[in-house]
mmCIF file of all heavy atoms in Angstrom:
data_model
loop_
_atom_site.group_PDB
_atom_site.id
_atom_site.type_symbol
_atom_site.label_atom_id
_atom_site.label_comp_id
_atom_site.label_asym_id
_atom_site.label_seq_id
_atom_site.Cartn_x
_atom_site.Cartn_y
_atom_site.Cartn_z
ATOM 1 N N HIS A 1 0.796 -1.226 0.000
ATOM 2 C CA HIS A 1 0.000 0.000 0.000
ATOM 3 C C HIS A 1 0.830 1.279 0.000
ATOM 4 O O HIS A 1 0.269 2.365 0.094
ATOM 5 C CB HIS A 1 -0.938 -0.009 1.213
ATOM 6 C CG HIS A 1 -1.867 -1.173 1.209
ATOM 7 N ND1 HIS A 1 -1.804 -2.178 2.164
ATOM 8 C CD2 HIS A 1 -2.845 -1.528 0.334
ATOM 9 C CE1 HIS A 1 -2.736 -3.082 1.899
ATOM 10 N NE2 HIS A 1 -3.371 -2.722 0.789
ATOM 11 N N ARG A 2 2.136 1.166 -0.117
ATOM 12 C CA ARG A 2 2.995 2.352 -0.091
ATOM 13 C C ARG A 2 2.715 3.232 -1.309
ATOM 14 O O ARG A 2 2.275 2.750 -2.359
ATOM 15 C CB ARG A 2 4.461 1.944 -0.059
ATOM 16 C CG ARG A 2 4.930 1.327 -1.354
ATOM 17 C CD ARG A 2 6.414 1.008 -1.322
ATOM 18 N NE ARG A 2 6.810 0.488 -2.615
ATOM 19 C CZ ARG A 2 7.221 -0.736 -2.831
ATOM 20 N NH1 ARG A 2 7.327 -1.582 -1.832
ATOM 21 N NH2 ARG A 2 7.553 -1.122 -4.048
ATOM 22 N N PRO A 3 2.957 4.537 -1.171
ATOM 23 C CA PRO A 3 2.761 5.429 -2.326
ATOM 24 C C PRO A 3 3.768 5.106 -3.428
ATOM 25 O O PRO A 3 4.881 4.675 -3.147
ATOM 26 C CB PRO A 3 3.005 6.823 -1.747
ATOM 27 C CG PRO A 3 3.720 6.621 -0.470
ATOM 28 C CD PRO A 3 3.401 5.250 0.018
ATOM 29 N N GLN A 4 3.342 5.298 -4.647
ATOM 30 C CA GLN A 4 4.196 5.085 -5.822
ATOM 31 C C GLN A 4 4.408 6.422 -6.507
ATOM 32 O O GLN A 4 3.526 7.279 -6.493
ATOM 33 C CB GLN A 4 3.517 4.126 -6.813
ATOM 34 C CG GLN A 4 3.094 2.799 -6.228
ATOM 35 C CD GLN A 4 4.253 1.886 -5.927
ATOM 36 O OE1 GLN A 4 5.244 1.881 -6.648
ATOM 37 N NE2 GLN A 4 4.146 1.122 -4.854
ATOM 38 N N GLN A 5 5.544 6.598 -7.126
ATOM 39 C CA GLN A 5 5.756 7.821 -7.897
ATOM 40 C C GLN A 5 4.826 7.802 -9.101
ATOM 41 O O GLN A 5 4.778 6.817 -9.835
ATOM 42 C CB GLN A 5 7.207 7.931 -8.355
ATOM 43 C CG GLN A 5 8.148 8.340 -7.247
ATOM 44 C CD GLN A 5 9.472 8.812 -7.809
ATOM 45 O OE1 GLN A 5 10.265 8.004 -8.250
ATOM 46 N NE2 GLN A 5 9.669 10.116 -7.798
ATOM 47 N N GLU A 6 4.099 8.881 -9.294
ATOM 48 C CA GLU A 6 3.142 8.951 -10.388
ATOM 49 C C GLU A 6 3.750 9.477 -11.675
ATOM 50 O O GLU A 6 3.145 9.353 -12.729
ATOM 51 C CB GLU A 6 1.944 9.809 -9.971
ATOM 52 C CG GLU A 6 1.136 9.168 -8.860
ATOM 53 C CD GLU A 6 -0.083 9.979 -8.475
ATOM 54 O OE1 GLU A 6 -0.495 10.853 -9.263
ATOM 55 O OE2 GLU A 6 -0.613 9.741 -7.384
ATOM 56 N N VAL A 7 4.915 10.065 -11.590
ATOM 57 C CA VAL A 7 5.559 10.634 -12.769
ATOM 58 C C VAL A 7 5.804 9.534 -13.793
ATOM 59 O O VAL A 7 6.227 8.436 -13.455
ATOM 60 C CB VAL A 7 6.874 11.364 -12.393
ATOM 61 C CG1 VAL A 7 7.869 10.418 -11.770
ATOM 62 C CG2 VAL A 7 7.482 12.044 -13.592
ATOM 63 N N GLU A 8 5.481 9.824 -15.045
ATOM 64 C CA GLU A 8 5.677 8.877 -16.136
ATOM 65 C C GLU A 8 7.086 9.077 -16.691
ATOM 66 O O GLU A 8 7.346 10.030 -17.422
ATOM 67 C CB GLU A 8 4.637 9.101 -17.235
ATOM 68 C CG GLU A 8 3.222 8.780 -16.811
ATOM 69 C CD GLU A 8 3.023 7.308 -16.486
ATOM 70 O OE1 GLU A 8 3.657 6.451 -17.134
ATOM 71 O OE2 GLU A 8 2.238 7.026 -15.563
ATOM 72 N N ALA A 9 7.984 8.204 -16.322
ATOM 73 C CA ALA A 9 9.360 8.285 -16.798
ATOM 74 C C ALA A 9 9.979 6.899 -16.729
ATOM 75 O O ALA A 9 9.684 6.120 -15.831
ATOM 76 C CB ALA A 9 10.160 9.267 -15.952
ATOM 77 N N VAL A 10 10.832 6.623 -17.693
ATOM 78 C CA VAL A 10 11.566 5.363 -17.742
ATOM 79 C C VAL A 10 13.023 5.728 -18.008
ATOM 80 O O VAL A 10 13.303 6.532 -18.903
ATOM 81 C CB VAL A 10 11.032 4.441 -18.868
ATOM 82 C CG1 VAL A 10 11.863 3.177 -18.972
ATOM 83 C CG2 VAL A 10 9.570 4.123 -18.633
ATOM 84 N N PRO A 11 13.950 5.163 -17.247
ATOM 85 C CA PRO A 11 15.357 5.506 -17.485
ATOM 86 C C PRO A 11 15.838 4.983 -18.835
ATOM 87 O O PRO A 11 15.417 3.920 -19.283
ATOM 88 C CB PRO A 11 16.099 4.831 -16.333
ATOM 89 C CG PRO A 11 15.195 3.758 -15.857
ATOM 90 C CD PRO A 11 13.799 4.199 -16.164
ATOM 91 N N GLU A 12 16.708 5.767 -19.453
ATOM 92 C CA GLU A 12 17.313 5.313 -20.693
ATOM 93 C C GLU A 12 18.261 4.158 -20.377
ATOM 94 O O GLU A 12 18.665 3.967 -19.230
ATOM 95 C CB GLU A 12 18.075 6.461 -21.355
ATOM 96 C CG GLU A 12 17.168 7.581 -21.817
ATOM 97 C CD GLU A 12 17.957 8.724 -22.441
ATOM 98 O OE1 GLU A 12 19.158 8.546 -22.727
ATOM 99 O OE2 GLU A 12 17.362 9.796 -22.623
ATOM 100 N N GLU A 13 18.624 3.416 -21.369
ATOM 101 C CA GLU A 13 19.544 2.297 -21.172
ATOM 102 C C GLU A 13 20.856 2.817 -20.579
ATOM 103 O O GLU A 13 21.358 3.867 -20.981
ATOM 104 C CB GLU A 13 19.810 1.608 -22.508
ATOM 105 C CG GLU A 13 20.537 0.304 -22.367
ATOM 106 C CD GLU A 13 20.633 -0.443 -23.689
ATOM 107 O OE1 GLU A 13 19.742 -0.257 -24.542
ATOM 108 O OE2 GLU A 13 21.597 -1.197 -23.851
ATOM 109 N N ASP A 14 21.380 2.102 -19.612
ATOM 110 C CA ASP A 14 22.640 2.435 -18.933
ATOM 111 C C ASP A 14 22.572 3.713 -18.096
ATOM 112 O O ASP A 14 23.596 4.347 -17.850
ATOM 113 C CB ASP A 14 23.798 2.537 -19.936
ATOM 114 C CG ASP A 14 24.041 1.231 -20.671
ATOM 115 O OD1 ASP A 14 23.863 0.158 -20.057
ATOM 116 O OD2 ASP A 14 24.413 1.283 -21.857
ATOM 117 N N THR A 15 21.376 4.117 -17.653
ATOM 118 C CA THR A 15 21.252 5.276 -16.777
ATOM 119 C C THR A 15 21.849 4.943 -15.417
ATOM 120 O O THR A 15 21.640 3.859 -14.888
ATOM 121 C CB THR A 15 19.776 5.688 -16.612
ATOM 122 O OG1 THR A 15 19.270 6.064 -17.900
ATOM 123 C CG2 THR A 15 19.609 6.846 -15.662
ATOM 124 N N THR A 16 22.584 5.893 -14.870
ATOM 125 C CA THR A 16 23.216 5.688 -13.574
ATOM 126 C C THR A 16 22.653 6.667 -12.544
ATOM 127 O O THR A 16 22.129 7.724 -12.887
ATOM 128 C CB THR A 16 24.746 5.875 -13.649
ATOM 129 O OG1 THR A 16 25.023 7.204 -14.103
ATOM 130 C CG2 THR A 16 25.381 4.862 -14.576
ATOM 131 N N CYS A 17 22.790 6.298 -11.293
ATOM 132 C CA CYS A 17 22.411 7.153 -10.177
ATOM 133 C C CYS A 17 23.320 8.377 -10.185
ATOM 134 O O CYS A 17 24.546 8.244 -10.292
ATOM 135 C CB CYS A 17 22.564 6.377 -8.860
ATOM 136 S SG CYS A 17 22.373 7.353 -7.365
ATOM 137 N N LEU A 18 22.739 9.555 -10.070
ATOM 138 C CA LEU A 18 23.529 10.783 -10.086
ATOM 139 C C LEU A 18 24.425 10.926 -8.866
ATOM 140 O O LEU A 18 25.338 11.738 -8.873
ATOM 141 C CB LEU A 18 22.605 11.998 -10.164
ATOM 142 C CG LEU A 18 21.899 12.196 -11.480
ATOM 143 C CD1 LEU A 18 20.946 13.379 -11.408
ATOM 144 C CD2 LEU A 18 22.893 12.394 -12.600
ATOM 145 N N ILE A 19 24.176 10.143 -7.848
ATOM 146 C CA ILE A 19 24.941 10.289 -6.611
ATOM 147 C C ILE A 19 26.072 9.263 -6.534
ATOM 148 O O ILE A 19 27.224 9.618 -6.307
ATOM 149 C CB ILE A 19 23.999 10.205 -5.398
ATOM 150 C CG1 ILE A 19 22.984 11.346 -5.490
ATOM 151 C CG2 ILE A 19 24.778 10.266 -4.084
ATOM 152 C CD1 ILE A 19 21.807 11.227 -4.580
ATOM 153 N N CYS A 20 25.764 7.979 -6.749
ATOM 154 C CA CYS A 20 26.794 6.939 -6.621
ATOM 155 C C CYS A 20 27.353 6.469 -7.961
ATOM 156 O O CYS A 20 28.354 5.758 -7.999
ATOM 157 C CB CYS A 20 26.254 5.750 -5.836
ATOM 158 S SG CYS A 20 25.076 4.727 -6.763
ATOM 159 N N MET A 21 26.703 6.834 -9.060
ATOM 160 C CA MET A 21 27.111 6.483 -10.420
ATOM 161 C C MET A 21 26.950 4.996 -10.761
ATOM 162 O O MET A 21 27.456 4.533 -11.772
ATOM 163 C CB MET A 21 28.551 6.939 -10.706
ATOM 164 C CG MET A 21 28.769 8.430 -10.503
ATOM 165 S SD MET A 21 27.590 9.465 -11.413
ATOM 166 C CE MET A 21 28.134 9.216 -13.068
ATOM 167 N N ASP A 22 26.231 4.233 -9.924
ATOM 168 C CA ASP A 22 25.918 2.839 -10.238
ATOM 169 C C ASP A 22 24.630 2.789 -11.061
ATOM 170 O O ASP A 22 23.805 3.708 -10.979
ATOM 171 C CB ASP A 22 25.737 2.021 -8.957
ATOM 172 C CG ASP A 22 27.054 1.709 -8.267
ATOM 173 O OD1 ASP A 22 28.107 1.789 -8.931
ATOM 174 O OD2 ASP A 22 27.022 1.395 -7.062
ATOM 175 N N PRO A 23 24.414 1.736 -11.839
ATOM 176 C CA PRO A 23 23.192 1.622 -12.650
ATOM 177 C C PRO A 23 21.934 1.651 -11.773
ATOM 178 O O PRO A 23 21.938 1.149 -10.651
ATOM 179 C CB PRO A 23 23.330 0.260 -13.330
ATOM 180 C CG PRO A 23 24.779 -0.058 -13.284
ATOM 181 C CD PRO A 23 25.317 0.598 -12.050
ATOM 182 N N VAL A 24 20.854 2.239 -12.318
ATOM 183 C CA VAL A 24 19.589 2.320 -11.577
ATOM 184 C C VAL A 24 18.576 1.273 -12.011
ATOM 185 O O VAL A 24 17.526 1.153 -11.405
ATOM 186 C CB VAL A 24 18.931 3.719 -11.680
ATOM 187 C CG1 VAL A 24 19.772 4.758 -11.006
ATOM 188 C CG2 VAL A 24 18.640 4.083 -13.122
ATOM 189 N N GLY A 25 18.860 0.530 -13.041
ATOM 190 C CA GLY A 25 17.895 -0.455 -13.516
ATOM 191 C C GLY A 25 17.072 0.106 -14.648
ATOM 192 O O GLY A 25 17.374 1.147 -15.215
ATOM 193 N N ASP A 26 15.970 -0.583 -14.949
ATOM 194 C CA ASP A 26 15.197 -0.210 -16.131
ATOM 195 C C ASP A 26 13.829 0.394 -15.827
ATOM 196 O O ASP A 26 13.029 0.605 -16.729
ATOM 197 C CB ASP A 26 15.028 -1.425 -17.043
ATOM 198 C CG ASP A 26 14.299 -2.571 -16.357
ATOM 199 O OD1 ASP A 26 14.016 -2.477 -15.149
ATOM 200 O OD2 ASP A 26 14.017 -3.566 -17.052
ATOM 201 N N ARG A 27 13.536 0.674 -14.520
ATOM 202 C CA ARG A 27 12.229 1.238 -14.185
ATOM 203 C C ARG A 27 12.249 1.816 -12.777
ATOM 204 O O ARG A 27 13.158 1.557 -12.003
ATOM 205 C CB ARG A 27 11.157 0.167 -14.277
ATOM 206 C CG ARG A 27 11.379 -0.986 -13.313
ATOM 207 C CD ARG A 27 10.356 -2.090 -13.477
ATOM 208 N NE ARG A 27 10.717 -3.247 -12.712
ATOM 209 C CZ ARG A 27 10.442 -3.423 -11.413
ATOM 210 N NH1 ARG A 27 9.777 -2.501 -10.758
ATOM 211 N NH2 ARG A 27 10.816 -4.508 -10.790
ATOM 212 N N LYS A 28 11.200 2.575 -12.453
ATOM 213 C CA LYS A 28 11.019 3.053 -11.082
ATOM 214 C C LYS A 28 10.681 1.858 -10.213
ATOM 215 O O LYS A 28 10.024 0.928 -10.654
ATOM 216 C CB LYS A 28 9.859 4.053 -10.987
ATOM 217 C CG LYS A 28 10.071 5.351 -11.693
ATOM 218 C CD LYS A 28 8.841 6.229 -11.565
ATOM 219 C CE LYS A 28 7.670 5.543 -12.235
ATOM 220 N NZ LYS A 28 6.461 6.271 -12.357
ATOM 221 N N SER A 29 11.136 1.896 -8.973
ATOM 222 C CA SER A 29 10.837 0.829 -8.033
ATOM 223 C C SER A 29 10.996 1.399 -6.621
ATOM 224 O O SER A 29 11.225 2.596 -6.469
ATOM 225 C CB SER A 29 11.790 -0.354 -8.233
ATOM 226 O OG SER A 29 13.109 0.007 -7.886
ATOM 227 N N TYR A 30 10.901 0.554 -5.640
ATOM 228 C CA TYR A 30 11.121 1.017 -4.266
ATOM 229 C C TYR A 30 12.533 1.589 -4.116
ATOM 230 O O TYR A 30 12.733 2.598 -3.471
ATOM 231 C CB TYR A 30 10.918 -0.133 -3.275
ATOM 232 C CG TYR A 30 11.209 0.265 -1.850
ATOM 233 C CD1 TYR A 30 10.300 1.019 -1.122
ATOM 234 C CD2 TYR A 30 12.400 -0.106 -1.231
ATOM 235 C CE1 TYR A 30 10.571 1.398 0.184
ATOM 236 C CE2 TYR A 30 12.673 0.263 0.066
ATOM 237 C CZ TYR A 30 11.756 1.020 0.777
ATOM 238 O OH TYR A 30 12.029 1.402 2.060
ATOM 239 N N THR A 31 13.503 0.964 -4.754
ATOM 240 C CA THR A 31 14.891 1.385 -4.596
ATOM 241 C C THR A 31 15.359 2.380 -5.651
ATOM 242 O O THR A 31 16.430 2.949 -5.516
ATOM 243 C CB THR A 31 15.837 0.166 -4.623
ATOM 244 O OG1 THR A 31 15.644 -0.530 -5.850
ATOM 245 C CG2 THR A 31 15.562 -0.763 -3.451
ATOM 246 N N THR A 32 14.595 2.596 -6.704
ATOM 247 C CA THR A 32 14.975 3.509 -7.782
ATOM 248 C C THR A 32 13.922 4.598 -7.927
ATOM 249 O O THR A 32 12.741 4.302 -8.100
ATOM 250 C CB THR A 32 15.120 2.747 -9.109
ATOM 251 O OG1 THR A 32 16.103 1.727 -8.947
ATOM 252 C CG2 THR A 32 15.532 3.666 -10.229
ATOM 253 N N MET A 33 14.374 5.843 -7.862
ATOM 254 C CA MET A 33 13.450 6.979 -7.918
ATOM 255 C C MET A 33 13.900 7.972 -8.984
ATOM 256 O O MET A 33 15.050 7.954 -9.423
ATOM 257 C CB MET A 33 13.399 7.657 -6.546
ATOM 258 C CG MET A 33 12.989 6.693 -5.434
ATOM 259 S SD MET A 33 13.252 7.355 -3.789
ATOM 260 C CE MET A 33 11.878 8.482 -3.693
ATOM 261 N N VAL A 34 12.975 8.852 -9.363
ATOM 262 C CA VAL A 34 13.258 9.867 -10.376
ATOM 263 C C VAL A 34 12.741 11.217 -9.881
ATOM 264 O O VAL A 34 11.772 11.280 -9.124
ATOM 265 C CB VAL A 34 12.611 9.492 -11.738
ATOM 266 C CG1 VAL A 34 11.097 9.463 -11.647
ATOM 267 C CG2 VAL A 34 13.084 10.409 -12.854
ATOM 268 N N CYS A 35 13.378 12.284 -10.318
ATOM 269 C CA CYS A 35 12.907 13.626 -9.976
ATOM 270 C C CYS A 35 11.594 13.877 -10.703
ATOM 271 O O CYS A 35 11.522 13.728 -11.922
ATOM 272 C CB CYS A 35 13.936 14.675 -10.376
ATOM 273 S SG CYS A 35 13.332 16.380 -10.210
ATOM 274 N N PRO A 36 10.538 14.297 -9.997
ATOM 275 C CA PRO A 36 9.256 14.536 -10.654
ATOM 276 C C PRO A 36 9.237 15.822 -11.480
ATOM 277 O O PRO A 36 8.374 15.986 -12.327
ATOM 278 C CB PRO A 36 8.274 14.637 -9.482
ATOM 279 C CG PRO A 36 9.109 15.132 -8.353
ATOM 280 C CD PRO A 36 10.464 14.514 -8.553
ATOM 281 N N ALA A 37 10.203 16.706 -11.267
ATOM 282 C CA ALA A 37 10.229 17.972 -12.008
ATOM 283 C C ALA A 37 10.895 17.804 -13.373
ATOM 284 O O ALA A 37 10.298 18.101 -14.398
ATOM 285 C CB ALA A 37 10.948 19.044 -11.188
ATOM 286 N N CYS A 38 12.132 17.309 -13.402
ATOM 287 C CA CYS A 38 12.851 17.208 -14.675
ATOM 288 C C CYS A 38 12.705 15.836 -15.339
ATOM 289 O O CYS A 38 12.938 15.704 -16.535
ATOM 290 C CB CYS A 38 14.333 17.524 -14.485
ATOM 291 S SG CYS A 38 15.263 16.327 -13.509
ATOM 292 N N LYS A 39 12.327 14.818 -14.573
ATOM 293 C CA LYS A 39 12.142 13.454 -15.067
ATOM 294 C C LYS A 39 13.411 12.875 -15.696
ATOM 295 O O LYS A 39 13.362 11.924 -16.455
ATOM 296 C CB LYS A 39 10.985 13.384 -16.066
ATOM 297 C CG LYS A 39 9.676 13.824 -15.478
ATOM 298 C CD LYS A 39 8.575 13.839 -16.497
ATOM 299 C CE LYS A 39 7.330 14.426 -15.857
ATOM 300 N NZ LYS A 39 6.421 14.994 -16.802
ATOM 301 N N SER A 40 14.553 13.473 -15.394
ATOM 302 C CA SER A 40 15.826 13.020 -15.949
ATOM 303 C C SER A 40 16.813 12.592 -14.881
ATOM 304 O O SER A 40 17.778 11.912 -15.178
ATOM 305 C CB SER A 40 16.469 14.142 -16.779
ATOM 306 O OG SER A 40 15.635 14.489 -17.853
ATOM 307 N N ALA A 41 16.590 13.029 -13.648
ATOM 308 C CA ALA A 41 17.500 12.711 -12.550
ATOM 309 C C ALA A 41 17.054 11.417 -11.890
ATOM 310 O O ALA A 41 15.985 11.355 -11.292
ATOM 311 C CB ALA A 41 17.522 13.847 -11.536
ATOM 312 N N TRP A 42 17.861 10.380 -12.012
ATOM 313 C CA TRP A 42 17.567 9.078 -11.422
ATOM 314 C C TRP A 42 18.533 8.820 -10.285
ATOM 315 O O TRP A 42 19.696 9.194 -10.348
ATOM 316 C CB TRP A 42 17.684 7.981 -12.483
ATOM 317 C CG TRP A 42 16.571 8.050 -13.470
ATOM 318 C CD1 TRP A 42 16.540 8.814 -14.601
ATOM 319 C CD2 TRP A 42 15.322 7.372 -13.405
ATOM 320 N NE1 TRP A 42 15.335 8.631 -15.243
ATOM 321 C CE2 TRP A 42 14.580 7.753 -14.531
ATOM 322 C CE3 TRP A 42 14.775 6.462 -12.503
ATOM 323 C CZ2 TRP A 42 13.303 7.268 -14.779
ATOM 324 C CZ3 TRP A 42 13.502 5.965 -12.750
ATOM 325 C CH2 TRP A 42 12.784 6.379 -13.881
ATOM 326 N N PHE A 43 18.043 8.181 -9.233
ATOM 327 C CA PHE A 43 18.886 7.891 -8.080
ATOM 328 C C PHE A 43 18.307 6.753 -7.284
ATOM 329 O O PHE A 43 17.140 6.413 -7.415
ATOM 330 C CB PHE A 43 19.059 9.127 -7.191
ATOM 331 C CG PHE A 43 17.855 10.017 -7.152
ATOM 332 C CD1 PHE A 43 16.783 9.734 -6.315
ATOM 333 C CD2 PHE A 43 17.764 11.130 -7.973
ATOM 334 C CE1 PHE A 43 15.665 10.529 -6.304
ATOM 335 C CE2 PHE A 43 16.641 11.935 -7.956
ATOM 336 C CZ PHE A 43 15.589 11.640 -7.120
ATOM 337 N N HIS A 44 19.142 6.162 -6.462
ATOM 338 C CA HIS A 44 18.713 5.100 -5.558
ATOM 339 C C HIS A 44 18.115 5.726 -4.304
ATOM 340 O O HIS A 44 18.539 6.800 -3.872
ATOM 341 C CB HIS A 44 19.901 4.221 -5.157
ATOM 342 C CG HIS A 44 20.575 3.562 -6.312
ATOM 343 N ND1 HIS A 44 21.831 3.914 -6.738
ATOM 344 C CD2 HIS A 44 20.133 2.577 -7.135
ATOM 345 C CE1 HIS A 44 22.149 3.170 -7.772
ATOM 346 N NE2 HIS A 44 21.140 2.353 -8.040
ATOM 347 N N ARG A 45 17.150 5.062 -3.705
ATOM 348 C CA ARG A 45 16.517 5.532 -2.473
ATOM 349 C C ARG A 45 17.563 5.808 -1.390
ATOM 350 O O ARG A 45 17.550 6.841 -0.746
ATOM 351 C CB ARG A 45 15.493 4.512 -1.969
ATOM 352 C CG ARG A 45 14.859 4.865 -0.639
ATOM 353 C CD ARG A 45 13.842 3.832 -0.220
ATOM 354 N NE ARG A 45 12.643 3.932 -1.038
ATOM 355 C CZ ARG A 45 11.631 4.759 -0.797
ATOM 356 N NH1 ARG A 45 11.657 5.558 0.247
ATOM 357 N NH2 ARG A 45 10.582 4.781 -1.595
ATOM 358 N N GLY A 46 18.480 4.871 -1.190
ATOM 359 C CA GLY A 46 19.508 5.047 -0.169
ATOM 360 C C GLY A 46 20.415 6.233 -0.453
ATOM 361 O O GLY A 46 20.828 6.943 0.465
#
């Protein structure tokens, strides 16, 4: 029942976290988030 990000965005292939530079995967998830304003900044929850 946790809230989900409603922003419609999918990371491009080989997108990395802006903070740790590790891959973020291929979609939003509990551990992968995106900025709702620019829809281009991907990062890990941690």
Side-chain angles (χ1 to χ4, degrees):
H1 300 114
R2 70 177 183 246
Q4 305 288 325
Q5 284 196 285
E6 294 182 17
V7 61
E8 293 296 326
V10 176
E12 294 179 13
E13 191 173 332
D14 299 325
T15 298
T16 59
C17 171
L18 290 176
I19 299 166
C20 73
M21 303 307 289
D22 285 341
V24 294
D26 60 354
R27 61 184 171 84
K28 293 178 297 187
S29 67
Y30 177 77
T31 58
T32 302
M33 303 168 76
V34 64
C35 172
C38 67
K39 300 176 186 156
S40 299
W42 289 86
F43 34 82
H44 300 110
R45 176 179 287 275

